[in-house]
Amino acid sequence: MAKYEILFKQLRLAILRGEYAPNDRLPSENAIAIKHGVSRITSKRALNELAAADLVYRVRGGGTFVKPHKSTTQRQILLVLPFPETTSFGDLSKWHSRDASRYDLAVKIDG
């Protein structure tokens, strides 16, 4: 595998993991080259591959920026669970530890 492909995959993974937020500026070609021990041409090619993959956009003289993508789009949902009026917090914690682990669900409570 070519060095630019390895670098492309590393940068792609960093973007998809959220290490760079949408519209964040990526490090310069030179900074990436130094950090990863490759030539500037290799870092430039990796960044061009990210652009071709529609993960970033490049501004001549301005840098490379992360494009907003579907996996970073946040949606809020309201989850209403029917519990009897007599349910205590202890009962809820028992339910959570027993049943919630079966579902791939994250709940954020603001307040």
Side-chain angles (χ1 to χ4, degrees), residues 37-49:
V38 298
S39 71
R40 189 188 62 78
I41 299 302
T42 299
S43 66
K44 180 178 182 171
R45 185 149 184 206
L47 290 171
N48 285 337
E49 292 293 318

Side-chain angles (χ1 to χ4, degrees), residues 8 15 48-57 65-69:
F8 162 77
I15 291 169
N48 285 337
E49 292 293 318
L50 289 172
D54 208 29
L55 292 170
V56 300
Y57 60 95
F65 301 86
V66 176
K67 271 189 166 181
H69 51 283

Side-chain angles (χ1 to χ4, degrees), residues 27-36 38-41 43 47:
S28 68
E29 292 173 2
N30 285 332
I32 290 173
I34 291 168
K35 179 179 179 182
H36 294 276
V38 298
S39 71
R40 189 188 62 78
I41 299 302
S43 66
L47 290 171

Side-chain angles (χ1 to χ4, degrees), residues 76-83 95-96 100 103-109:
Q76 294 183 357
I77 62 168
L78 173 63
L79 181 62
V80 179
L81 301 173
F83 287 107
W95 174 86
H96 175 270
Y103 303 99
D104 184 16
L105 176 66
V107 178
K108 179 181 175 186
I109 301 173

